[in-house]
Amino acid sequence: MKKKKVPSMVKDQQLIKKRREQMIKAAVTLFKEKGFHRTTTREIAKESGFSIGTLYEYIGSKEDILYLVCDAIYDEVSEKLKKRLTQDVEGIESLKSAIAALFKVIDDLQDEVLVMYQESKSLPKEALGYVLQKEMDMTAMIEQIIQECVKQGHLALADEEVKLAADNILVQAHMWTFRRWQVQKNYTLDQYIELQTKLLLDGLLKK
């Protein structure tokens, strides 16, 4: 799935990057408050610090802004996760470390993740396919760690179980954001990581 090409009347790549970063930050704030459909491009331009005319020099439509938001968030989550994944641990400890890393990254970017999942359904089909592929790529990072634990004999899982286990881990990470009104009232992040890791691994470890 190819990256969507967002039109721009400006040729300076550094300026495009700077202006689009401003748009993304502004859009996340507004989409969180009002949702994608109730937010206007004029409001995004104002929140970004420039005129509506300037905004349209860097994008072609409001859907382009939503695409840029989702694309940027996935990239940031993936990059932060890669940096947090440690190579200093082996075996089942590597999976525990990966779970903690993922949960901490989601905590760092919880507003962005919430907006992305709430609003990505409004993307055009082609752009949505590209964004969903990034989700699959991120899940694959967790899958690879689980698969390594299987190879080392720490887990006894079939291939389809590995995939589902990775999905379960991702869902539990997102729950910290999606149900934060309830979950974060009852647990600190460290408590949540500890309890969820225990629950997840209890169902995976070889008996």
Side-chain angles (χ1 to χ4, degrees), residues 118-165:
Q118 285 178 333
E119 306 300 345
S120 61
K121 61 184 179 293
S122 298
L123 287 168
K125 185 177 179 181
E126 182 182 352
L128 179 59
Y130 172 78
V131 167
L132 291 179
Q133 181 59 52
K134 287 198 164 189
E135 169 90 358
M136 292 168 65
D137 291 344
M138 190 162 60
T139 309
M141 282 194 272
I142 305 299
E143 276 184 43
Q144 188 174 3
I145 294 168
I146 298 173
Q147 195 64 261
E148 189 59 34
C149 288
V150 172
K151 287 180 183 177
Q152 293 174 6
H154 302 293
L155 302 175
L157 300 173
D159 287 345
E160 64 270 19
E161 292 174 319
V162 169
K163 289 182 178 297
L164 188 56

Side-chain angles (χ1 to χ4, degrees), residues 5 24 52 77 113 138 171 186 194 201-202:
K5 188 172 182 179
I24 290 165
I52 186 71
V77 170
V113 169
M138 190 162 60
V171 167
N186 295 326
E194 182 181 354
L201 293 186
D202 279 353

Side-chain angles (χ1 to χ4, degrees), residues 58-133:
Y58 296 92
I59 50 99
S61 66
K62 190 169 76 168
E63 285 73 19
D64 285 341
I65 299 174
L66 178 58
Y67 169 76
L68 291 171
V69 166
C70 292
D71 191 36
I73 291 169
Y74 266 120
D75 282 348
E76 190 168 3
V77 170
S78 294
E79 283 306 307
K80 282 180 175 284
L81 181 57
K82 287 174 185 174
K83 286 179 181 177
R84 282 183 178 272
L85 289 176
T86 176
Q87 304 298 318
D88 298 333
V89 290
E90 296 180 352
I92 208 67
E93 291 304 316
S94 66
L95 181 54
K96 290 180 180 179
S97 176
I99 291 171
L102 177 62
F103 284 23
K104 287 174 182 177
V105 168
I106 297 299
D107 178 64
D108 287 344
L109 299 169
Q110 53 186 286
D111 285 346
E112 289 86 348
V113 169
L114 189 62
V115 164
M116 180 179 63
Y117 278 99
Q118 285 178 333
E119 306 300 345
S120 61
K121 61 184 179 293
S122 298
L123 287 168
K125 185 177 179 181
E126 182 182 352
L128 179 59
Y130 172 78
V131 167
L132 291 179
Q133 181 59 52

Side-chain angles (χ1 to χ4, degrees), residues 1-98:
M1 190 69 67
K2 289 185 178 180
K3 186 180 180 77
K4 173 180 164 63
K5 188 172 182 179
V6 177
S8 174
M9 295 164 57
V10 177
K11 302 303 180 187
D12 186 333
Q13 293 301 311
Q14 286 299 108
L15 191 55
I16 291 173
K17 184 174 183 292
K18 178 182 177 182
R19 290 287 185 255
R20 286 181 176 174
E21 284 174 352
Q22 289 173 275
M23 285 183 217
I24 290 165
K25 185 177 179 181
V28 167
T29 299
L30 292 167
F31 293 168
K32 180 189 169 192
E33 292 174 1
K34 304 176 64 174
F36 171 72
H37 291 292
R38 291 175 58 203
T39 300
T40 67
T41 50
R42 191 171 297 278
E43 288 171 325
I44 295 171
K46 183 179 179 182
E47 185 75 19
S48 301
F50 39 77
S51 70
I52 186 71
T54 299
L55 182 96
Y56 277 109
E57 290 179 359
Y58 296 92
I59 50 99
S61 66
K62 190 169 76 168
E63 285 73 19
D64 285 341
I65 299 174
L66 178 58
Y67 169 76
L68 291 171
V69 166
C70 292
D71 191 36
I73 291 169
Y74 266 120
D75 282 348
E76 190 168 3
V77 170
S78 294
E79 283 306 307
K80 282 180 175 284
L81 181 57
K82 287 174 185 174
K83 286 179 181 177
R84 282 183 178 272
L85 289 176
T86 176
Q87 304 298 318
D88 298 333
V89 290
E90 296 180 352
I92 208 67
E93 291 304 316
S94 66
L95 181 54
K96 290 180 180 179
S97 176

